[in-house]
Amino acid sequence: MSSRSGGDAFPAGPVRWLDEREQRVWRRYLLMTSQLTAQMNRQLAADAGLSLADYEVLVRLTDVPTGRLRVTRLARELSWEQSRLSHHVSRMARRGLVAREECADDGRGALVVLTEHGRATIEHAAPAHVAFVRASVFDALTDAQVDTLDAILGSVLSGLR
Amino acid sequence: MSSRSGGDAFPAGPVRWLDEREQRVWRRYLLMTSQLTAQMNRQLAADAGLSLADYEVLVRLTDVPTGRLRVTRLARELSWEQSRLSHHVSRMARRGLVAREECADDGRGALVVLTEHGRATIEHAAPAHVAFVRASVFDALTDAQVDTLDAILGSVLSGLR
DNA sequence: TTAAGCTAGATGACATGTCAAGCAGATCTG
DNA sequence: CAGATCTGCTTGACATGTCATCTAGCTTAA
């Protein structure tokens, strides 16, 4: 459990505990997200030797024609902290998936570039990954459920900022 | 992006790429879950020096009257891998939140026990954490949305096993 | 132009998670 | 009851994330 119901050992205070239904939904939310992430990671690792994080980075790079992006821009696209990306790029570079390049415009800047190996790897990985997402998520839901999910994600996200 | 639309650089094959709407929902799903987790972690860390994982462990232990559980049982309740739990218990024990105890029934077994400090910590952490979850999630959703979410979680989860 | 302050990135320290291997105590079977 | 096997748990190696800090290159304004 990740939350408490009322009437237990904790002081009641002004806290509105989650009711039975909310607790069930919340537990299932935590379970579902962790399982789904874990399975995507395992599927990608088995199929292409990638983590989901690797995959996300590679996809952003294939999205631009030049296959290269400034570090800060890439971090923003991914909604990652800049230092996380910096560490991750180092690891991916060690594996030959991307490379760093100096930035002509700005002496401080750095570009992350998709390598040939990186491109080949994501092109190999994408079909099975998309198939997995489709099978696990979209094929399991009705159109109306997807619409509601979209609305839910929007509401929660706008509250988080 | 975590998935591809059709008609791009990848071989088409028999793959059904995600359409525009599916892509948008999927991106938002990944964004929302990572943001929500990050913010829960930060809130818990700031308020009580706990990670969400610590919190989950402590809650399971407070759920049983004796405040102690076998390692395997606790791992199952959390849906964690056993070795993850073992590492995590070591770290929590170092901080005095839990302790290990031998198991009388089974010489191989081990019990994880909530300490006084652990109990005090979760009792301090729970109200603000629940308030955060309520404010971020449940207060942002209508009753009908929560029902649909429950159904979605159920569908996806049953497909994942 | 030059010092103050800002910005882009990298890095070190450390928490966390995964996988594979190890180990000792049960259990099973001939 | 002895060896084979299974089980419960721990450990080591290593990938990943976060936070705080550092460096060097921009920008600004007196």
Side-chain angles (χ1 to χ4, degrees):
Chain A
M1 191 172 0
S2 320
S3 46
R4 312 290 314 186
S5 56
D8 62 5
F10 294 150
V15 184
R16 287 169 52 219
W17 301 104
L18 301 186
D19 65 31
E20 200 92 357
R21 164 167 159 275
E22 290 167 333
Q23 261 185 61
R24 193 188 62 246
V25 172
W26 184 240
R27 268 180 190 249
R28 289 227 281 189
Y29 165 80
L30 292 173
L31 181 61
M32 191 275 256
T33 55
S34 61
Q35 304 275 73
L36 186 52
T37 302
Q39 293 204 22
M40 287 191 292
N41 269 301
R42 273 194 276 268
Q43 184 270 317
L44 273 169
D47 181 55
L50 294 177
S51 66
L52 187 54
D54 299 330
Y55 186 89
E56 294 288 321
V57 169
L58 294 177
V59 169
R60 309 290 158 156
L61 290 174
T62 58
D63 268 353
V64 296
T66 56
R68 72 199 61 209
L69 283 171
R70 283 288 291 270
V71 169
T72 298
R73 173 77 190 289
L74 184 49
R76 184 159 36 80
E77 301 267 342
L78 291 162
S79 303
W80 283 12
E81 289 181 17
Q82 202 262 334
S83 101
R84 174 184 176 186
L85 179 58
S86 189
H87 281 300
H88 207 88
V89 164
S90 300
R91 292 185 295 253
M92 291 179 75
R94 207 182 309 138
R95 292 188 289 149
L97 294 166
V98 299
R100 273 190 236 261
E101 233 175 52
E102 286 185 2
C103 178
D105 316 5
D106 189 332
R108 300 162 299 182
L111 291 165
V112 183
V113 194
L114 188 62
T115 61
E116 267 322 300
H117 176 50
R119 189 177 296 276
T121 303
I122 183 135
E123 289 185 2
H124 168 79
H129 176 66
V130 173
F132 181 85
V133 171
R134 176 171 290 295
S136 312
V137 179
F138 293 103
D139 284 354
L141 305 180
T142 65
D143 255 38
Q145 284 178 324
V146 174
D147 283 338
T148 302
L149 178 56
D150 194 27
I152 289 171
L153 296 172
S155 294
V156 175
L157 269 174
S158 67
L160 286 180
R161 326 203 204 248
Chain B
M1 197 176 348
S2 321
S3 44
R4 312 288 317 185
S5 55
D8 64 3
F10 294 152
V15 184
R16 287 169 53 218
W17 302 104
L18 302 186
D19 65 31
E20 199 93 356
R21 164 168 161 274
E22 289 167 334
Q23 262 186 58
R24 192 187 65 247
V25 172
W26 183 240
R27 269 180 191 250
R28 289 227 279 190
Y29 165 80
L30 292 173
L31 180 61
M32 191 276 256
T33 55
S34 61
Q35 303 276 72
L36 186 52
T37 303
Q39 293 204 23
M40 286 192 293
N41 270 300
R42 274 194 274 268
Q43 184 270 317
L44 272 169
D47 181 54
L50 294 177
S51 66
L52 187 54
D54 298 331
Y55 186 88
E56 293 289 321
V57 169
L58 293 176
V59 169
R60 308 290 158 156
L61 290 173
T62 57
D63 269 351
V64 295
T66 55
R68 71 199 63 208
L69 283 170
R70 282 290 290 271
V71 169
T72 297
R73 174 76 189 286
L74 183 50
R76 185 158 38 79
E77 302 266 342
L78 292 162
S79 302
W80 283 11
E81 287 180 18
Q82 214 250 0
S83 98
R84 174 184 177 186
L85 179 58
S86 189
H87 282 300
H88 206 89
V89 164
S90 300
R91 292 187 294 256
M92 291 179 75
R94 206 182 312 136
R95 292 189 288 150
L97 294 165
V98 299
R100 272 190 235 263
E101 233 175 51
E102 287 185 1
C103 178
D105 315 6
D106 188 332
R108 300 162 299 181
L111 291 165
V112 183
V113 194
L114 189 62
T115 61
E116 266 323 299
H117 175 51
R119 187 177 297 276
T121 303
I122 183 133
E123 290 185 1
H124 168 79
H129 176 66
V130 172
F132 180 86
V133 171
R134 174 171 292 292
S136 313
V137 179
F138 292 103
D139 284 354
L141 305 180
T142 65
D143 254 37
Q145 285 178 324
V146 174
D147 282 338
T148 302
L149 177 57
D150 194 25
I152 289 171
L153 296 172
S155 293
V156 175
L157 270 174
S158 67
L160 286 179
R161 330 210 204 243

